[in-house]
Amino acid sequence: MKGYYKLRKHILEILETKLSKDLHYHGIHHTVDALETSDKYLRHIKIAPEDAKLLRLGILFHDIGFTETTVDHEKKGAEIAQKMLKEYDFDQKSIHTITNLILATEIPQHPQTLLEQIICDVDLDYLGRSDFYKISDYLFEELKILIGLKDKNEWNKIQIRFLEKHQYHTEFAIKNRQPEKEKRIEELKNMVAEKNI
């Protein structure tokens, strides 16, 4: 895929320089983590090499909208991606696939294709991982700034509701992340119950 590595470098430079330092969760580290996580998924889910590159570009672009807005960032990210992909001479079919990947990560997620299922699961992979609390603390710090959320107990209630509604889509995530996610729900419920005693 011509231009892939050059574009990848360009996107990472934009994320490095233009994302607000207030984005404790949606910083470049999240995008890099998602890229690394996608490698784990692709060891278990067989897709064509070209599709894997489209997936990785979707991951690289999926939070680029945050460089301009915190509202509807997926739509803004899709616009930025379309413009950049045209500049790098990507064909219309690839551009369509990548913009759909970005839009698929909007919450609540409704992926329509296997690639969209993978990006959705990769994006929220941490929900069923051992570093869940560390990452959810980053999100709490970000939401303190963005929406004025202050109370940790309130945050835990929000997380319970989110985790209970969320579902993984790929067989890999259902098998390897869902069981841990269920444990997090129970742990969070216990934390909230202790606060309410």
Side-chain angles (χ1 to χ4, degrees), residues 29-192:
H29 55 279
H30 166 65
T31 299
V32 171
D33 176 71
L35 269 181
E36 288 168 2
T37 300
S38 72
D39 291 338
K40 289 178 194 151
Y41 278 71
L42 294 181
R43 281 198 285 276
H44 298 273
I45 305 168
K46 295 297 169 231
I47 61 173
E50 289 295 297
D51 285 342
K53 282 189 176 151
L54 292 174
L55 174 69
R56 287 191 176 98
L57 285 169
I59 291 167
L60 281 158
F61 275 122
H62 87 284
D63 281 339
I64 203 166
F66 273 110
T67 60
E68 294 190 21
T69 182
T70 56
V71 181
D72 289 337
H73 75 272
E74 296 90 357
K75 288 182 184 68
K76 178 51 75 178
E79 286 170 25
I80 295 167
Q82 281 177 340
K83 189 167 176 282
M84 285 179 70
L85 289 161
K86 279 177 188 155
E87 285 167 11
Y88 279 79
D89 293 324
F90 276 75
D91 62 83
Q92 203 49 51
K93 187 167 179 273
S94 298
I95 293 172
H96 182 71
T97 300
I98 293 165
T99 51
N100 280 347
L101 285 169
I102 299 162
L103 295 170
T105 63
E106 187 176 358
I107 307 293
Q109 299 173 332
H110 297 293
Q112 303 299 312
T113 66
L114 177 60
L115 287 184
E116 289 173 19
Q117 287 179 351
I118 298 170
I119 195 171
C120 285
D121 286 357
V122 161
D123 191 24
L124 294 175
D125 187 68
Y126 86 96
L127 298 179
R129 284 193 332 221
S130 59
D131 57 354
F132 168 81
Y133 290 106
K134 179 182 159 193
I135 293 173
S136 81
D137 281 347
Y138 292 152
L139 188 52
F140 181 49
E141 289 305 312
E142 185 174 306
L143 292 173
K144 278 183 190 174
I145 296 162
L146 295 184
I147 62 166
L149 185 68
K150 287 183 176 65
D151 183 73
K152 190 69 183 265
N153 196 46
E154 196 51 47
W155 169 231
N156 285 338
K157 289 178 189 172
I158 292 167
Q159 292 199 97
I160 292 164
R161 290 195 294 274
F162 183 77
L163 287 164
E164 286 184 328
K165 275 188 190 156
H166 169 265
Q167 60 182 46
Y168 284 117
H169 308 280
T170 61
E171 278 180 39
F172 174 77
I174 290 164
K175 183 181 172 205
N176 295 284
R177 298 292 180 259
Q178 187 66 26
E180 283 298 310
K181 189 182 85 171
E182 301 289 341
K183 287 181 194 170
R184 298 298 86 83
I185 294 169
E186 287 313 305
E187 289 162 3
L188 287 163
K189 282 182 173 176
N190 289 336
M191 286 181 208
V192 169

Side-chain angles (χ1 to χ4, degrees), residues 4 6-17 28 31 56-62 64 84-85 88:
Y4 169 77
K6 204 172 163 191
L7 178 55
R8 174 184 166 131
K9 187 168 178 271
H10 188 176
I11 299 166
L12 288 169
E13 279 169 5
I14 291 170
L15 295 173
E16 184 72 63
T17 56
I28 188 171
T31 299
R56 287 191 176 98
L57 285 169
I59 291 167
L60 281 158
F61 275 122
H62 87 284
I64 203 166
M84 285 179 70
L85 289 161
Y88 279 79

